[in-house]
Amino acid sequence: MPRSSNNPATKAASVTLATVAQRAGVSPQTVSNALNSPELLRPETLDRVLRTIDEVGYRPHRAAQTLRTRSSKLIGYGIRPTAPGASAPVMDRFLHALSQTADEAGYRILLFASPSGGAGLDGYEELLDLHSVDGFVLSGTERGDQRQAWLEKRGVPFVAFGRMWSGRQIGDWVDVDGASGTDAAVEHLVGLGHRRIAFLGWPRGSGVGDDRAEGWQRAMRRHGLPVRGRRAQSVDDIASAQAAVGPLLDAGATAVITASDMLALGCYHALRERRAVPGTDIAVVGFDDNPMAALLSPGLSTVAQPLEAVGRECVRLLLARMSEAGAPPERVLLEPSLVLRDSTSASDA
Amino acid sequence: MPRSSNNPATKAASVTLATVAQRAGVSPQTVSNALNSPELLRPETLDRVLRTIDEVGYRPHRAAQTLRTRSSKLIGYGIRPTAPGASAPVMDRFLHALSQTADEAGYRILLFASPSGGAGLDGYEELLDLHSVDGFVLSGTERGDQRQAWLEKRGVPFVAFGRMWSGRQIGDWVDVDGASGTDAAVEHLVGLGHRRIAFLGWPRGSGVGDDRAEGWQRAMRRHGLPVRGRRAQSVDDIASAQAAVGPLLDAGATAVITASDMLALGCYHALRERRAVPGTDIAVVGFDDNPMAALLSPGLSTVAQPLEAVGRECVRLLLARMSEAGAPPERVLLEPSLVLRDSTSASDA
DNA sequence: CGAGTTCATTGGAGCGTTCCAAAACCATTG
DNA sequence: CAATGGTTTTGGAACGCTCCAATGAACTCG
């Protein structure tokens, strides 16, 4: 039976429960039940009511529902100015995935502008009071992030994209296992015969960056490969990466794994500068699968985050938390995937 | 006088108008007036009520306001998967600016996932019915976009980031004058002494791409410079751009203006391939100011869109439209700015 | 000094929904 | 056939706010 009609027929000023009720010859309450507790109605009545709903194109008015039930079916998300190191394409895809999954579960994402600094808790409070959002999704968690503790204290459901990098673990989160990504990159390179595999990371101290370094290190150790002199760091900037990777190349590295595609691009430049070809002479692996990575030549092999899955899991955990506040926290660590392109292919030329 | 308190004092279960009214010794209606029509109150009363509001940390409940006033103070925005050609960083910054300006005007952005295809009008209808959004912001307008006509027909206020590229002009829009950007790029290059200035664009037919080409062409004509044989096209992909720019270089171009930073990156590769240095040997100008542009070496000169201003104007036009539905449509074309980096500096080495 | 006028404040209703408790219906049964 | 118990339906109130019309207070003027 068709539940959503395409010809909203008369669709006059406003179709309310009462409209439907009258037309179907039942009470407004019954119409409400037809939608919220269909098992209460006699099948025959249910059918008639649903048909009428369809005919007149009735849609429940969310504001009224919110007022009555104290639940807005809204999820708050504080959008921050793109932080250095956090790539816009990643956030963009995440937000789309999040919005999509939320939609499918009958929820919507309500944006608010959040200052870049960790602070800006006011925004969260305001959304809570004014719009009675049912929960929040955080992203870009940092060391010393105060948001989780603040939300927990108020008993507000939330889920973070990004684990807690410091202090006591609070609440649910979904994250991508960066260490596993760089580990896999090492594995792949070792399989190709590389032994002198270097890592170009961000300055120590950022949770995300250290995690990615960690995977490289453990995989190297596992294979009995030395890491000393094979690691360098740079801010997320091409020129600076280009400079930082120099010593690694001088030390004879045959492959470089980086903490971001930007850093990888810096390696490309350094290689070109030395008349070397990425992929053919030196293998390079980036991180994040920036759209640019596919477009480079040779294409940049990189570690891709499963952002659709992250979005999906965020919604799933949040819904679970909202339905059972006391449940033990759930933490999901998703596997990134290694996208292989020409920057890691042993040239056959 | 402090209007927003930081210590919400008792902030019990829920603070309503009635709570405040009782505590201030006035009627609920008076409290409402204090916020919505303060000029109706005696200054003395107003003061007392506002103070009480502050003390108890009262915040009006939006759902109740929405229900009563039929205005949600919500602006809908259909977020699409990043389209090819449209850069994620651009959309990201735009969305942030939009959200911020909306916040300041007391509005919020409500996201919904919209399919990439032009269709997906259902999403708009649903947001309208369910959440009674007050208006929409569109972005990524294309040739033959149906959204504007659809919204106009229903009398729903909207504003588009992106002009109408085909058909009758409908509604308000804000856009960036791409032609003016490439025109300015030509001007700058001519000032540096360049005469053989080429353009690498996208395949004809996309509104945005053709617009950017147009500016180059008209500036060239204005300076009496030939355009024949100085134009090539490529999809937004580095390798393909690299190939497409070849003939232009062969034909002796000393500078290349491109429709996007990706295409410019393709030029960089082509130049490296020929042992030429961007900036020193051949000038390159990109478009969009992708974060990557600043990080390249040499830094890529590029045309930057004033996204904060776009966001601000979108909100301004939308608010105007909402307050006066019948006003003549307003269309704002903003000037992009040329960001100069080393890819256009006559080398002094 | 009472009637008219303006200004400030209030009471009641209603927005569309769901909660709660009570009512109607229907078939069994003692 | 009245009483019982279960299923299905209903009426009224309430969520928090703002609209509207009406009241009360203060002030002006013949």
Side-chain angles (χ1 to χ4, degrees), chain B residues 188 299-302 338-344:
Chain B
H188 181 72
L300 174 65
S301 295
T302 187
L338 190 55
V339 179
L340 295 175
R341 301 200 178 93
D342 294 337
S343 71
T344 48

Side-chain angles (χ1 to χ4, degrees), chain B residues 148-161:
Chain B
Q148 293 92 338
W150 190 89
L151 290 168
E152 186 201 36
K153 202 176 74 188
R154 324 240 151 177
V156 181
F158 72 92
V159 60
F161 170 18

Side-chain angles (χ1 to χ4, degrees), chain B residues 17 29 32 36 58 65 68:
Chain B
L17 269 189
Q29 180 58 53
S32 173
N36 301 318
Y58 167 73
Q65 292 182 310
R68 185 69 252 229

Side-chain angles (χ1 to χ4, degrees), chain B residues 131-286:
Chain B
H131 291 276
S132 18
V133 295
D134 293 343
F136 288 96
V137 172
L138 313 182
S139 76
T141 59
E142 318 168 287
R143 279 186 180 284
D145 209 313
Q146 313 227 318
R147 297 176 292 174
Q148 293 92 338
W150 190 89
L151 290 168
E152 186 201 36
K153 202 176 74 188
R154 324 240 151 177
V156 181
F158 72 92
V159 60
F161 170 18
R163 66 199 91 167
M164 292 210 56
W165 295 109
S166 62
R168 180 175 59 95
Q169 290 293 313
I170 302 174
D172 308 271
W173 50 252
V174 178
D175 205 353
V176 174
D177 192 343
S180 168
T182 46
D183 187 323
V186 171
E187 282 298 332
H188 181 72
L189 292 168
V190 165
L192 290 176
H194 289 275
R195 315 222 79 219
R196 298 197 296 276
I197 305 170
F199 182 79
L200 176 60
W202 292 322
R204 297 179 201 235
S206 87
V208 177
D210 294 352
D211 180 40
R212 294 177 184 181
E214 160 62 20
W216 163 77
Q217 188 161 29
R218 78 181 181 209
M220 292 294 278
R221 292 243 165 87
R222 194 169 56 237
H223 284 282
L225 300 172
V227 297
R228 182 163 288 256
R230 298 246 175 274
R231 178 169 178 180
Q233 53 183 259
S234 158
V235 294
D236 207 41
D237 166 317
I238 296 177
S240 133
Q242 182 175 359
V245 79
L248 299 178
L249 298 174
D250 292 340
T254 63
V256 182
I257 297 172
T258 66
S260 81
D261 290 340
M262 282 301 167
L263 294 178
L265 199 48
C267 291
Y268 269 49
H269 282 246
L271 290 175
R272 288 264 157 70
E273 194 180 36
R274 294 161 179 246
R275 303 270 185 271
V277 180
T280 309
D281 303 315
I282 304 280
V284 179
V285 179

Side-chain angles (χ1 to χ4, degrees), chain A residues 135-158:
Chain A
F136 288 96
V137 172
L138 314 182
S139 76
T141 58
E142 319 168 287
R143 279 185 180 285
D145 209 313
Q146 313 229 318
R147 296 176 292 174
Q148 294 92 336
W150 189 89
L151 290 169
E152 187 201 34
K153 205 177 71 188
R154 324 243 149 174
V156 181
F158 72 91

Side-chain angles (χ1 to χ4, degrees), chain B residues 94 98 137-138 159-161 174 309-319:
Chain B
F94 168 65
L98 187 68
V137 172
L138 313 182
V159 60
F161 170 18
V174 178
V310 173
R312 208 177 318 123
E313 289 298 296
C314 280
V315 172
R316 187 176 68 75
L317 294 197
L318 188 55
L319 294 183

Side-chain angles (χ1 to χ4, degrees), chain A residues 125 128-129 154, chain B residues 7-15 55-59:
Chain A
E125 178 148 40
L128 221 41
D129 289 351
R154 324 243 149 174
Chain B
N7 56 337
T10 351
K11 193 58 184 283
S14 69
V15 188
E55 279 171 24
V56 301
Y58 167 73
R59 290 252 179 72

